[in-house]
Amino acid sequence: MLKRALWQGLLAGTAGGAVMTLGEKLEQAVTGRPDSHVPARVLQRLTGLPERPGPQSLKANWAMHFGQAALLGVLRSVMAQSGLRGPVASAKFTVVRLTNDQILENATGVGAPPETWPRRELAVDVAHKAVYAFVTGAVADALAARGGPGPGQRHAARRPGRHADVGPPPRGDAHGR
């Protein structure tokens, strides 16, 4: 499963990154919002590359932007291979994408916590990351479905709801009495 999840996730994440980038460029054409150089600055700090003020290298920006998209796609593919598919799984993955960005941006000192951002800027970022997550999810789900239902889906088809063989025993002693 992990071998499949790797190549399918890299493909799904790259597709999600491409669609997110197209959406960002369309939004920037309408709103006049400038390009962000945060991805390049994060990459520079993570790798020890020299930093410089002002606009950053397009290569560095896109390497980080698409590198993150592809690598996180592997996680979404593992979700799909495990039976976590559909819009709810993609909504959960949106949170993962946003969290990943915030960890990297704040750990490197490049970003600021989202609660300090102007609301409009935050809404735009969340919207773009949601586009990424749902496109990545659709591709990962479609590729995983070629292999049949995931383990969670097979189990749920037999018996919906909680399963006695999963999780802690019911209240009482260790034997459930």
Side-chain angles (χ1 to χ4, degrees):
M1 172 186 79
L2 291 179
K3 227 186 229 186
R4 267 193 326 273
L6 178 62
W7 75 263
Q8 290 178 2
L10 292 172
L11 182 66
T14 300
V19 173
M20 177 177 68
T21 302
L22 288 173
E24 287 170 338
K25 294 304 175 189
L26 286 172
E27 173 264 320
Q28 288 175 305
V30 171
T31 65
R33 186 176 63 85
D35 285 337
S36 169
H37 297 282
V38 168
R41 286 192 173 98
V42 168
L43 181 62
Q44 290 165 344
R45 293 216 179 151
L46 286 173
T47 60
L49 291 171
E51 295 182 50
R52 59 174 206 235
Q56 303 299 306
S57 155
L58 184 61
K59 287 180 190 176
N61 227 29
W62 281 23
M64 186 65 179
H65 181 73
F66 283 105
Q68 269 187 283
L71 289 175
L72 283 174
V74 174
L75 177 60
R76 183 58 179 85
S77 182
V78 169
M79 291 171 67
Q81 296 290 334
S82 301
L84 300 171
R85 300 178 187 164
V88 172
S90 291
K92 291 175 184 179
F93 185 61
T94 301
V95 175
V96 170
R97 175 60 204 239
L98 290 161
T99 302
N100 177 76
D101 280 5
Q102 286 308 300
I103 289 169
L104 292 175
E105 292 170 14
N106 287 281
T108 57
V110 172
E115 59 271 15
T116 66
W117 298 8
R119 295 299 111 198
R120 180 177 160 89
E121 189 176 323
L122 181 59
V124 167
D125 191 55
V126 170
H128 289 308
K129 297 310 185 313
V131 166
Y132 162 79
F134 278 81
V135 170
T136 300
V139 174
D141 291 351
L143 292 170
R146 294 175 14 184
Q153 293 168 322
R154 285 191 297 269
H155 199 66
R158 286 195 315 258
R159 199 171 48 157
R162 244 191 125 137
H163 307 288
D165 60 337
V166 177
R171 290 192 165 181
D173 68 9
H175 302 288
R177 292 181 235 159

